[in-house]
């Protein structure tokens, strides 16, 4: 059941409806803002997925392996999230083009408030100002504002 729940959560954000470009994010274009993320786990690792939209500055679909600097919190959330709980991150304001990028001034850590449920839809703030470190960028692409001509699923 845990893997099924993880698959459903992960699929919600990785299903691509044909609007994605196959190129990497233009790291020279600024995408400053507050970039909400879904936090999930496979029972061993925490992952954060940016909640993308089809307009700038939120037009980047990125999934990262992350760790909290607070190892006790990290272990606790790995276990909780593997059981299908729904948590989101409200990070500090930053440039999404630089998150986990290969630029000299890339962002490989950020501070976020952690919410049970969705931070913009009545979620409960459980932790404030927690430091996260990006350990690996798993998936990254730019979304297009153009309407899809057909559905494409990965």
């Amino acid at each position: 059941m845990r893997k099924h729940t993880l698959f459903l959560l992960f699929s919600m954000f990785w299903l691509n409806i044909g609007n994605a470009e196959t190129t990497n994010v233009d790291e020279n274009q600024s995408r400053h803002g507050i970039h909400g993320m879904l936090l999930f786990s496979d029972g061993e690792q925490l992952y954060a997925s940016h909640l993308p939209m089809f307009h700038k500055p939120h037009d980047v679909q990125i999934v990262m392996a992350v760790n909290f600097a607070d190892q006790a919190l990290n272990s606790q959330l790995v276990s909780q999230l593997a059981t299908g709980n729904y948590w989101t991150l409200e990070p500090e304001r930053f440039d999404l083009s630089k998150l986990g990028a290969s630029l000299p001034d890339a962002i490989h850590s950020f501070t976020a408030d952690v919410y049970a449920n969705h931070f913009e839809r009545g979620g409960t703030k459980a932790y404030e100002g927690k430091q996260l470190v990006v350990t690996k960028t798993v998936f990254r692409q730019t979304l297009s504002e153009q309407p899809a001509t057909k559905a494409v699923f990965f």
Side-chain angles (χ1 to χ4, degrees), residues 31-102:
R31 287 181 169 85
H32 285 277
I34 295 175
H35 301 288
M37 299 179 195
L38 173 72
L39 186 65
F40 60 97
S41 172
D42 62 2
E44 296 177 20
Q45 174 66 55
L46 286 175
Y47 297 91
S49 175
H50 175 240
L51 301 171
M53 295 181 237
F54 290 104
H55 60 82
K56 291 177 181 76
H58 305 288
D59 61 339
V60 177
Q61 190 171 27
I62 181 169
V63 178
M64 306 154 291
V66 296
N67 288 322
F68 282 91
D70 179 341
Q71 289 303 308
L73 175 59
N74 199 76
S75 296
Q76 175 188 343
L77 287 175
V78 164
S79 298
Q80 283 183 336
L81 292 170
T83 62
N85 292 319
Y86 173 42
W87 292 70
T88 57
L89 301 173
E90 180 183 17
E92 63 185 299
R93 189 174 291 275
F94 60 80
D95 184 350
L96 187 62
S97 296
K98 295 180 180 180
L99 182 62
S102 57

Coordinates of all heavy atoms in Angstrom, one line a residue, residues 31-102:
R31 N 13.9 33.4 -12.3 CA 12.6 32.9 -11.8 C 12.4 33.1 -10.3 O 12.2 32.1 -9.6 CB 12.4 31.5 -12.2 CG 12.2 31.3 -13.7 CD 12.1 29.8 -14.1 NE 11.6 29.6 -15.4 CZ 12.5 29.5 -16.5 NH1 13.8 29.7 -16.3 NH2 12.0 29.3 -17.7
H32 N 12.5 34.4 -9.9 CA 12.4 34.7 -8.4 C 11.0 34.5 -8.0 O 10.0 34.9 -8.7 CB 12.9 36.1 -8.1 CG 14.4 36.2 -8.2 ND1 15.2 35.9 -7.1 CD2 15.2 36.6 -9.2 CE1 16.4 36.1 -7.5 NE2 16.5 36.5 -8.7
G33 N 10.8 34.0 -6.8 CA 9.5 33.8 -6.2 C 9.5 32.8 -5.0 O 10.5 32.3 -4.6
I34 N 8.3 32.6 -4.5 CA 8.1 31.5 -3.5 C 7.6 30.3 -4.3 O 6.6 30.4 -4.9 CB 7.1 32.0 -2.4 CG1 7.7 33.1 -1.7 CG2 6.8 30.8 -1.5 CD1 6.7 33.7 -0.6
H35 N 8.4 29.3 -4.3 CA 8.1 28.1 -5.1 C 7.7 26.9 -4.2 O 8.6 26.2 -3.7 CB 9.4 27.8 -5.9 CG 9.8 28.9 -6.8 ND1 9.0 29.2 -8.0 CD2 10.8 29.8 -6.8 CE1 9.6 30.3 -8.5 NE2 10.7 30.6 -7.8
G36 N 6.4 26.8 -4.0 CA 5.9 25.7 -3.2 C 6.3 24.3 -3.7 O 6.4 24.1 -4.9
M37 N 6.4 23.4 -2.8 CA 6.8 22.0 -3.2 C 6.0 21.0 -2.4 O 5.7 21.2 -1.3 CB 8.3 21.9 -2.8 CG 9.2 22.8 -3.6 SD 10.9 22.6 -3.1 CE 11.6 24.1 -3.8
L38 N 5.9 19.8 -3.1 CA 5.3 18.6 -2.4 C 6.5 17.9 -1.8 O 7.5 17.7 -2.5 CB 4.6 17.8 -3.5 CG 4.2 16.4 -2.9 CD1 3.0 16.6 -2.0 CD2 3.8 15.5 -4.1
L39 N 6.4 17.5 -0.6 CA 7.4 16.7 0.1 C 6.9 15.3 0.2 O 5.8 15.0 0.6 CB 7.7 17.3 1.5 CG 8.8 16.7 2.3 CD1 10.2 17.0 1.6 CD2 8.8 17.3 3.7
F40 N 7.7 14.3 -0.3 CA 7.3 12.9 -0.2 C 8.5 12.0 0.0 O 9.7 12.5 0.0 CB 6.5 12.5 -1.4 CG 7.3 12.6 -2.7 CD1 7.9 11.5 -3.3 CD2 7.3 13.8 -3.4 CE1 8.6 11.6 -4.5 CE2 8.0 14.0 -4.6 CZ 8.6 12.9 -5.2
S41 N 8.3 10.7 0.3 CA 9.4 9.8 0.7 C 9.1 8.4 0.1 O 7.9 8.0 -0.1 CB 9.5 9.7 2.2 OG 10.4 8.7 2.5
D42 N 10.2 7.7 -0.2 CA 10.0 6.3 -0.6 C 10.3 5.4 0.5 O 10.5 4.2 0.4 CB 11.0 6.0 -1.8 CG 12.4 6.2 -1.5 OD1 12.8 6.5 -0.3 OD2 13.3 6.0 -2.4
G43 N 10.4 5.9 1.7 CA 10.8 5.1 2.9 C 12.2 5.1 3.3 O 12.6 4.7 4.3
E44 N 13.1 5.7 2.4 CA 14.5 5.8 2.6 C 15.0 7.2 2.4 O 16.0 7.6 3.0 CB 15.2 4.8 1.7 CG 14.9 3.3 1.9 CD 15.6 2.4 0.9 OE1 16.6 2.8 0.3 OE2 15.1 1.3 0.8
Q45 N 14.4 7.9 1.5 CA 14.9 9.2 1.1 C 13.7 10.2 1.0 O 12.6 9.8 0.7 CB 15.6 9.1 -0.3 CG 16.0 10.4 -0.9 CD 17.1 11.1 -0.2 OE1 18.2 10.5 0.1 NE2 16.9 12.4 0.2
L46 N 14.0 11.5 1.3 CA 13.0 12.5 1.1 C 13.2 13.1 -0.3 O 14.3 13.2 -0.7 CB 13.1 13.6 2.2 CG 12.7 13.3 3.6 CD1 13.0 14.5 4.5 CD2 11.2 13.0 3.6
Y47 N 12.1 13.5 -0.9 CA 12.1 14.2 -2.2 C 11.2 15.4 -2.1 O 10.2 15.4 -1.4 CB 11.5 13.2 -3.3 CG 12.4 12.0 -3.5 CD1 12.1 10.8 -2.8 CD2 13.4 12.0 -4.4 CE1 12.9 9.7 -3.0 CE2 14.2 10.9 -4.6 CZ 14.0 9.8 -3.9 OH 14.8 8.7 -4.1
A48 N 11.5 16.4 -2.9 CA 10.7 17.6 -3.0 C 10.4 17.8 -4.5 O 11.4 17.7 -5.3 CB 11.4 18.8 -2.4
S49 N 9.2 18.1 -4.8 CA 8.8 18.3 -6.2 C 8.2 19.7 -6.2 O 7.2 20.0 -5.5 CB 7.8 17.3 -6.7 OG 7.3 17.6 -8.0
H50 N 8.8 20.6 -7.0 CA 8.2 21.9 -7.2 C 6.8 21.8 -7.8 O 6.6 20.9 -8.6 CB 9.1 22.8 -8.2 CG 8.5 24.1 -8.5 ND1 8.2 24.4 -9.8 CD2 8.1 25.1 -7.7 CE1 7.7 25.7 -9.8 NE2 7.6 26.1 -8.5
L51 N 5.8 22.6 -7.3 CA 4.5 22.5 -7.8 C 4.4 23.5 -9.0 O 4.1 24.7 -8.8 CB 3.5 22.9 -6.7 CG 3.5 22.0 -5.4 CD1 2.7 22.6 -4.3 CD2 3.1 20.6 -5.8
P52 N 4.6 23.0 -10.2 CA 4.8 23.9 -11.3 C 3.5 24.4 -11.8 O 2.4 23.9 -11.6 CB 5.5 23.0 -12.4 CG 4.9 21.7 -12.1 CD 4.8 21.6 -10.6
M53 N 3.6 25.5 -12.6 CA 2.4 26.1 -13.3 C 3.0 26.4 -14.7 O 4.1 26.3 -15.0 CB 2.0 27.4 -12.6 CG 1.4 27.2 -11.3 SD 0.9 28.8 -10.6 CE 1.8 28.8 -9.1
F54 N 2.1 26.7 -15.6 CA 2.5 26.9 -17.0 C 2.8 28.3 -17.3 O 2.6 28.7 -18.5 CB 1.4 26.3 -17.9 CG 1.3 24.8 -17.9 CD1 0.3 24.2 -17.2 CD2 2.3 24.0 -18.5 CE1 0.2 22.8 -17.1 CE2 2.2 22.6 -18.4 CZ 1.2 22.0 -17.7
H55 N 3.2 29.1 -16.4 CA 3.7 30.4 -16.6 C 4.9 30.8 -15.7 O 5.1 30.2 -14.7 CB 2.5 31.4 -16.3 CG 2.0 31.4 -14.9 ND1 2.6 32.0 -13.9 CD2 0.9 30.7 -14.4 CE1 1.9 31.8 -12.8 NE2 0.9 31.0 -13.1
K56 N 5.7 31.7 -16.2 CA 6.8 32.2 -15.4 C 6.4 32.9 -14.2 O 5.4 33.6 -14.2 CB 7.7 33.1 -16.3 CG 8.4 32.3 -17.4 CD 9.2 33.2 -18.3 CE 9.8 32.4 -19.4 NZ 8.9 32.0 -20.5
P57 N 7.0 32.8 -13.1 CA 8.3 32.2 -12.8 C 8.2 30.8 -12.3 O 9.2 30.2 -11.8 CB 8.9 33.1 -11.7 CG 7.7 33.5 -10.9 CD 6.6 33.6 -11.9
H58 N 7.0 30.2 -12.4 CA 6.8 28.8 -11.8 C 6.8 27.7 -12.9 O 6.3 26.6 -12.6 CB 5.5 28.8 -11.1 CG 5.4 29.9 -10.0 ND1 6.2 29.8 -8.9 CD2 4.8 31.1 -10.0 CE1 6.0 30.9 -8.1 NE2 5.1 31.7 -8.8
D59 N 7.3 28.0 -14.1 CA 7.2 27.1 -15.2 C 8.3 26.0 -15.3 O 8.7 25.6 -16.4 CB 7.1 27.9 -16.5 CG 8.4 28.7 -16.8 OD1 9.1 29.0 -15.8 OD2 8.6 29.0 -17.9
V60 N 8.8 25.6 -14.2 CA 9.8 24.6 -14.1 C 9.4 23.4 -13.3 O 8.9 23.6 -12.1 CB 11.2 25.1 -13.5 CG1 12.2 24.0 -13.4 CG2 11.7 26.3 -14.4
Q61 N 9.4 22.2 -13.9 CA 9.1 21.0 -13.1 C 10.4 20.4 -12.7 O 11.3 20.1 -13.5 CB 8.3 20.0 -14.0 CG 7.8 18.8 -13.3 CD 6.9 18.0 -14.3 OE1 7.0 18.0 -15.5 NE2 5.9 17.3 -13.7
I62 N 10.6 20.3 -11.3 CA 11.9 19.9 -10.8 C 11.6 19.0 -9.6 O 10.7 19.3 -8.8 CB 12.8 21.0 -10.4 CG1 14.1 20.5 -9.9 CG2 12.1 22.0 -9.5 CD1 15.2 21.6 -9.7
V63 N 12.2 17.8 -9.6 CA 12.1 16.8 -8.5 C 13.5 16.6 -8.0 O 14.4 16.4 -8.8 CB 11.5 15.5 -8.9 CG1 11.4 14.5 -7.8 CG2 10.1 15.7 -9.5
M64 N 13.7 16.8 -6.6 CA 15.0 16.7 -6.0 C 15.0 15.7 -4.8 O 14.0 15.7 -4.1 CB 15.5 18.1 -5.5 CG 15.4 19.1 -6.5 SD 15.2 20.8 -5.8 CE 13.5 20.6 -5.2
A65 N 16.1 15.0 -4.6 CA 16.3 14.3 -3.4 C 16.8 15.4 -2.4 O 17.7 16.2 -2.7 CB 17.4 13.2 -3.5
V66 N 16.2 15.4 -1.2 CA 16.6 16.5 -0.2 C 16.8 15.8 1.2 O 16.3 14.7 1.4 CB 15.5 17.6 -0.1 CG1 15.4 18.3 -1.4 CG2 14.2 17.0 0.3
N67 N 17.5 16.5 2.0 CA 17.7 16.2 3.4 C 17.5 17.4 4.2 O 18.0 18.5 3.9 CB 19.1 15.6 3.7 CG 19.2 14.2 3.1 OD1 18.3 13.4 3.1 ND2 20.4 13.9 2.6
F68 N 16.8 17.3 5.4 CA 16.8 18.3 6.4 C 18.1 18.4 7.1 O 18.7 17.3 7.4 CB 15.7 18.1 7.4 CG 14.3 18.5 6.8 CD1 13.5 17.6 6.2 CD2 13.9 19.8 6.9 CE1 12.3 17.9 5.7 CE2 12.6 20.2 6.4 CZ 11.8 19.2 5.8
A69 N 18.6 19.5 7.4 CA 19.8 19.6 8.2 C 19.6 19.0 9.6 O 20.5 18.4 10.2 CB 20.2 21.1 8.4
D70 N 18.4 19.1 10.1 CA 18.0 18.5 11.4 C 17.7 17.0 11.1 O 16.7 16.6 10.6 CB 16.7 19.1 11.9 CG 16.2 18.5 13.2 OD1 16.5 17.4 13.5 OD2 15.4 19.3 13.8
Q71 N 18.7 16.1 11.4 CA 18.7 14.7 11.1 C 17.5 14.0 11.8 O 16.9 13.0 11.2 CB 20.0 14.0 11.4 CG 21.1 14.4 10.4 CD 20.7 14.1 9.0 OE1 20.3 13.0 8.6 NE2 20.8 15.1 8.2
A72 N 17.1 14.4 13.0 CA 16.0 13.8 13.7 C 14.7 14.1 12.9 O 13.9 13.2 12.7 CB 15.9 14.3 15.1
L73 N 14.5 15.3 12.5 CA 13.4 15.7 11.7 C 13.4 14.9 10.4 O 12.3 14.4 9.9 CB 13.3 17.2 11.5 CG 12.2 17.7 10.6 CD1 10.8 17.3 11.1 CD2 12.4 19.2 10.4
N74 N 14.5 14.8 9.8 CA 14.7 14.1 8.5 C 14.2 12.7 8.6 O 13.4 12.2 7.8 CB 16.1 14.1 8.0 CG 16.2 13.8 6.5 OD1 15.9 14.7 5.7 ND2 16.7 12.6 6.2
S75 N 14.7 12.0 9.6 CA 14.3 10.6 9.9 C 12.8 10.4 10.2 O 12.1 9.5 9.7 CB 15.1 10.0 11.0 OG 16.4 9.9 10.7
Q76 N 12.3 11.3 11.0 CA 10.8 11.3 11.3 C 10.0 11.5 10.1 O 9.0 10.8 9.9 CB 10.5 12.4 12.3 CG 9.1 12.6 12.6 CD 8.8 13.8 13.5 OE1 9.7 14.4 14.1 NE2 7.6 14.3 13.5
L77 N 10.3 12.5 9.2 CA 9.5 12.7 8.0 C 9.7 11.6 7.0 O 8.7 11.3 6.3 CB 9.9 14.1 7.4 CG 9.3 15.2 8.2 CD1 9.8 16.6 7.7 CD2 7.8 15.2 8.3
V78 N 10.8 11.0 6.9 CA 11.0 9.8 5.9 C 10.0 8.8 6.3 O 9.2 8.3 5.4 CB 12.4 9.3 6.0 CG1 12.5 7.9 5.3 CG2 13.4 10.2 5.3
S79 N 9.8 8.5 7.6 CA 8.9 7.5 8.0 C 7.4 7.9 7.8 O 6.6 7.1 7.3 CB 9.1 7.1 9.5 OG 10.4 6.6 9.7
Q80 N 7.1 9.1 8.3 CA 5.7 9.6 8.2 C 5.3 9.7 6.7 O 4.1 9.3 6.4 CB 5.6 11.0 8.8 CG 5.6 10.9 10.3 CD 5.4 12.3 10.9 OE1 5.7 13.3 10.3 NE2 4.9 12.4 12.1
L81 N 6.1 10.2 5.9 CA 5.7 10.4 4.5 C 5.6 9.1 3.7 O 4.8 9.1 2.7 CB 6.6 11.4 3.8 CG 6.5 12.8 4.3 CD1 7.7 13.7 3.8 CD2 5.2 13.4 4.0
A82 N 6.3 8.1 4.1 CA 6.2 6.8 3.4 C 4.9 6.1 3.6 O 4.5 5.2 2.9 CB 7.4 5.9 3.8
T83 N 4.1 6.6 4.6 CA 2.8 6.0 4.9 C 1.7 6.7 4.2 O 0.5 6.4 4.4 CB 2.6 6.0 6.5 OG1 2.5 7.4 6.9 CG2 3.6 5.2 7.2
G84 N 2.0 7.7 3.4 CA 1.0 8.3 2.6 C 0.5 9.6 3.1 O -0.4 10.2 2.5
N85 N 1.2 10.2 4.1 CA 0.8 11.5 4.5 C 1.1 12.5 3.5 O 2.0 12.3 2.6 CB 1.5 11.9 5.8 CG 1.0 11.0 7.0 OD1 -0.2 10.8 7.1 ND2 1.9 10.6 7.8
Y86 N 0.4 13.7 3.5 CA 0.6 14.7 2.5 C 1.2 16.0 3.1 O 0.6 16.6 4.0 CB -0.8 15.0 1.9 CG -1.0 16.1 1.0 CD1 -0.1 16.4 0.0 CD2 -2.2 16.9 1.1 CE1 -0.3 17.4 -0.9 CE2 -2.4 17.9 0.2 CZ -1.5 18.2 -0.8 OH -1.7 19.2 -1.7
W87 N 2.4 16.3 2.7 CA 3.1 17.5 3.3 C 3.6 18.4 2.2 O 3.9 17.9 1.1 CB 4.3 17.0 4.1 CG 3.9 16.3 5.4 CD1 3.4 15.0 5.5 CD2 4.1 16.7 6.7 NE1 3.2 14.7 6.8 CE2 3.6 15.7 7.6 CE3 4.6 17.9 7.3 CZ2 3.6 15.8 8.9 CZ3 4.6 18.0 8.7 CH2 4.1 17.0 9.5
T88 N 3.7 19.7 2.4 CA 4.2 20.6 1.5 C 5.2 21.5 2.1 O 5.3 21.6 3.4 CB 3.1 21.5 0.8 OG1 2.4 22.2 1.8 CG2 2.2 20.7 -0.1
L89 N 6.0 22.2 1.3 CA 7.0 23.1 1.7 C 6.7 24.5 1.2 O 6.3 24.6 0.0 CB 8.4 22.7 1.2 CG 9.0 21.4 1.6 CD1 10.3 21.1 0.8 CD2 9.2 21.3 3.1
E90 N 6.8 25.5 2.1 CA 6.8 26.9 1.6 C 8.2 27.5 1.8 O 8.5 27.9 2.9 CB 5.7 27.7 2.5 CG 5.6 29.1 2.0 CD 4.7 29.9 2.9 OE1 4.3 29.5 4.0 OE2 4.3 31.0 2.4
P91 N 9.0 27.4 0.8 CA 10.4 27.9 1.0 C 10.5 29.4 1.0 O 9.6 30.1 0.6 CB 11.0 27.3 -0.3 CG 10.0 27.1 -1.3 CD 8.7 26.9 -0.5
E92 N 11.7 29.8 1.4 CA 12.0 31.2 1.3 C 12.0 31.6 -0.2 O 12.0 30.7 -1.1 CB 13.4 31.4 1.8 CG 14.5 30.7 1.0 CD 15.9 30.8 1.6 OE1 16.4 31.9 1.7 OE2 16.5 29.8 2.0
R93 N 12.0 32.9 -0.5 CA 12.0 33.4 -1.9 C 13.4 33.2 -2.5 O 14.4 33.5 -1.9 CB 11.6 34.9 -1.8 CG 11.4 35.5 -3.1 CD 11.0 37.0 -2.9 NE 9.6 37.0 -2.4 CZ 8.5 37.0 -3.1 NH1 8.5 36.9 -4.4 NH2 7.3 37.1 -2.5
F94 N 13.4 32.6 -3.7 CA 14.7 32.4 -4.4 C 14.4 32.2 -5.9 O 13.3 32.2 -6.3 CB 15.4 31.1 -3.8 CG 14.7 29.8 -4.0 CD1 14.6 29.1 -5.2 CD2 14.0 29.3 -2.9 CE1 13.9 27.9 -5.3 CE2 13.3 28.1 -3.0 CZ 13.3 27.4 -4.2
D95 N 15.5 32.1 -6.6 CA 15.5 32.0 -8.1 C 15.4 30.5 -8.4 O 16.4 29.8 -8.3 CB 16.7 32.7 -8.7 CG 16.7 32.7 -10.2 OD1 15.8 32.0 -10.8 OD2 17.5 33.4 -10.8
L96 N 14.3 30.1 -8.9 CA 14.1 28.6 -9.3 C 15.1 28.2 -10.4 O 15.5 27.0 -10.4 CB 12.7 28.4 -9.7 CG 12.2 27.0 -9.9 CD1 12.3 26.2 -8.6 CD2 10.8 26.9 -10.4
S97 N 15.5 29.1 -11.2 CA 16.4 28.7 -12.3 C 17.8 28.2 -11.7 O 18.5 27.5 -12.4 CB 16.7 29.9 -13.2 OG 15.5 30.2 -13.9
K98 N 18.1 28.7 -10.5 CA 19.4 28.3 -9.9 C 19.3 27.1 -9.0 O 20.3 26.6 -8.5 CB 20.0 29.5 -9.2 CG 20.3 30.6 -10.1 CD 20.9 31.8 -9.4 CE 21.2 32.9 -10.4 NZ 21.8 34.1 -9.7
L99 N 18.1 26.7 -8.7 CA 17.9 25.6 -7.7 C 18.5 24.3 -8.2 O 18.0 23.8 -9.3 CB 16.5 25.4 -7.3 CG 16.2 24.3 -6.2 CD1 16.9 24.7 -4.9 CD2 14.7 24.2 -6.0
G100 N 19.4 23.7 -7.6 CA 20.0 22.4 -8.0 C 20.7 22.5 -9.3 O 21.0 21.4 -9.9
A101 N 21.0 23.7 -9.8 CA 21.6 23.8 -11.2 C 23.1 23.6 -11.1 O 23.7 23.4 -10.0 CB 21.3 25.2 -11.7
S102 N 23.8 23.7 -12.2 CA 25.2 23.5 -12.3 C 25.9 24.8 -12.5 O 27.0 24.8 -13.0 CB 25.5 22.5 -13.5 OG 25.0 23.0 -14.7

